[in-house]
Amino acid sequence: MKLGVVGLPNVGKSTLFNAITHAGAEAANYPFCTIEPNVGVVAVPDERLEKLAALYASKKVTPAVVEFVDIAGLVKGASRGEGLGNKFLSHIREVDAIVHVVRCFEDENITHVENKIDPVHDIATINLELILADIEAVEKRQDRIRNAARGGSDKSALAEFAFLEKLQKHLEAEQPASSLPLTEEEKPLLDNLFLLSAKPVIYCANIAERDMGRDEAELPLVCAVKEYAARHAAETIVVCAKTEEELAQMDEEDRALFLEEFGLKESGLDKLVRASYSLLGLISFLTAGEKETRAWTIVKGTKAPQAAGKIHTDFERGFIRAEVVEWQTLLECGGLAGAREKGKVRSEGKDYVMKDGDVVLFRFNV
């Protein structure tokens, strides 16, 4: 699963990306320093893994991961090819969700592409460009099926064309595709269009170092972003990208001391990675043992045989049952043997829907 890190030039995108991935994307005080997208894979923080690994004295610990793509800064007119518009739009089309970095700090040494600090205006600038690009995509699809729909004999083309007209009006009202009310029949029609404004979004409010640890209610720019996000059913994560980049270079002990100084339980990046994982509708089931303790990524609602297939296709093909125990119960029982003795291990069949934090042993026969 890929998340695209986007925003206007000089809002702190590449600084944040460096902190997330240690990939060393160039961060400079001018637009378009990130011309080709930088890609980095980052572990999802998960205390369960460390505790289970300690229980089993595991030789290897493998967390779930999320892939982040740092995409070139967007400017007004991108949908018409302004700046690096076409590159931006093609790269963002390939991601599953968007992390939209918004500048919520004042700094006279860092230029703003529109010479003013107004995060809601910045959000609107990018969202409008995505909507304009989507209108063009909808119009192209209309042109392809117009003749088939016009005759009336092709009922599916007729239904799709009617949906496209409804969608076009919604977009022309400068509303993102994600906010369009849909019937069950219309959902696959929207999915097949791969529209930019239909992608789920997390807004990342980038604050100044001096605002670290302050009550967010005292930061008017952050409040403005939160209010906007709430109206659009999106989440806001507050970070200081510069501080997060410094934190990423510290060892675990120094990082913990730094966070404690500001009264924080975890870094902004940890919050962002967790929120991103959740945004994509992902959960983790776990396997644990002396050789390896590992988190396996699945989509919420996945059934046991398909989860088994994540480990190996033979596990799904020859699935017999899943022996499941909740991770905390496993710890309390001192391992699988203790959990069996206390009757805490469940035997689940093909219709079992996996839950986040299930520790599983799959039984199969090929």
Side-chain angles (χ1 to χ4, degrees):
M1 293 286 183
K2 291 183 180 179
L3 290 107
V5 183
V6 308
L8 291 174
N10 298 341
V11 297
K13 281 190 311 85
S14 294
T15 303
L16 181 66
F17 183 80
N18 289 345
I20 292 172
T21 64
H22 301 255
E26 183 183 2
N29 182 26
Y30 57 90
F32 316 132
C33 64
T34 310
I35 296 176
E36 295 301 330
N38 295 279
V39 179
V41 176
V42 59
V44 179
D46 194 337
E47 64 172 358
R48 302 173 302 190
L49 287 179
E50 298 303 326
K51 291 179 178 179
L52 289 170
L55 175 67
Y56 284 95
S58 303
K59 294 175 182 175
K60 184 179 179 184
V61 179
T62 306
V65 296
V66 173
E67 187 171 308
F68 286 89
V69 183
D70 182 26
I71 298 173
L74 178 70
V75 293
K76 189 174 181 179
S79 59
R80 302 188 305 275
E82 295 291 330
L84 296 173
N86 293 331
K87 277 183 177 290
F88 174 94
L89 295 171
S90 65
H91 291 151
I92 199 174
R93 203 174 292 281
E94 296 168 4
V95 303
D96 300 295
I98 296 168
V99 175
H100 188 157
V101 183
V102 189
R103 180 171 171 173
C104 292
F105 65 89
E106 302 273 358
D107 189 332
E108 61 184 20
N109 297 315
I110 300 178
T111 59
H112 187 286
V113 72
E114 293 193 9
N115 297 315
K116 62 178 180 179
I117 309 300
D118 184 345
V120 173
H121 180 267
D122 292 353
I123 290 170
T125 297
I126 285 192
N127 287 351
L128 180 58
E129 295 305 324
L130 301 185
I131 288 168
L132 290 172
D134 285 347
I135 290 172
E136 185 179 344
V138 169
E139 289 173 345
K140 285 181 180 177
R141 180 61 186 165
Q142 285 175 317
D143 290 342
R144 287 195 196 100
I145 67 167
R146 193 181 304 278
N147 289 337
R150 187 175 289 156
S153 57
D154 188 334
K155 300 298 183 187
S156 63
L158 192 62
E160 184 182 356
F161 198 83
F163 167 70
L164 291 172
E165 288 184 319
K166 170 183 169 181
L167 175 59
Q168 185 177 20
K169 287 179 183 176
H170 184 77
L171 293 169
E172 287 175 346
E174 297 186 6
Q175 297 298 313
S178 60
S179 66
L180 178 67
L182 299 172
T183 65
E184 286 301 316
E185 294 75 22
E186 290 171 339
K187 285 177 183 177
L189 296 177
L190 181 65
D191 290 343
N192 290 338
L193 290 169
F194 301 101
L195 298 183
L196 303 177
S197 70
K199 295 181 185 294
V201 182
I202 290 176
Y203 292 101
C204 186
N206 185 18
I207 61 173
E209 286 181 289
R210 63 180 175 274
D211 292 330
M212 283 281 294
R214 285 182 62 188
D215 185 344
E216 292 170 9
E218 298 175 3
L219 305 174
L221 296 177
V222 170
C223 290
V225 174
K226 283 192 162 189
E227 287 168 10
Y228 179 93
R231 289 198 305 273
H232 294 81
E235 188 172 353
T236 303
I237 301 295
V238 179
V239 302
C240 172
K242 192 173 180 183
T243 299
E244 296 293 340
E245 189 176 26
E246 293 168 2
L247 273 172
Q249 309 305 317
M250 296 180 188
D251 60 34
E252 194 171 331
E253 188 177 340
D254 287 344
R255 190 182 305 120
L257 288 171
F258 183 92
L259 292 172
E260 186 180 343
E261 184 181 335
F262 285 97
L264 303 173
K265 292 182 179 178
E266 62 180 347
S267 71
L269 291 183
D270 284 349
K271 289 180 185 176
L272 176 59
V273 174
R274 288 184 204 274
S276 300
Y277 196 69
S278 175
L279 180 71
L280 294 172
L282 304 177
I283 61 172
S284 297
F285 73 88
L286 313 169
T287 54
E290 185 181 339
K291 185 177 178 181
E292 181 184 36
T293 291
R294 180 165 181 166
W296 301 86
T297 300
I298 54 174
V299 175
K300 196 178 294 183
T302 298
K303 292 186 177 180
Q306 289 69 50
K310 283 284 183 179
I311 299 176
H312 198 286
T313 53
D314 285 351
F315 283 29
E316 181 176 0
R317 189 158 55 92
F319 180 88
I320 299 172
R321 67 180 184 276
E323 296 180 0
V324 183
V325 58
E326 199 270 335
W327 74 276
Q328 279 183 313
T329 302
L330 186 65
L331 286 174
E332 290 164 3
C333 295
L336 193 59
R340 285 191 202 282
E341 287 175 12
K342 295 180 180 179
K344 299 294 186 181
V345 179
R346 308 188 312 274
S347 182
E348 303 286 1
K350 293 183 178 180
D351 292 329
Y352 177 68
V353 177
M354 301 292 292
K355 296 181 178 62
D356 189 50
D358 279 346
V359 184
V360 191
L361 177 63
F362 290 109
R363 299 294 184 183
F364 72 102
N365 184 33
V366 176

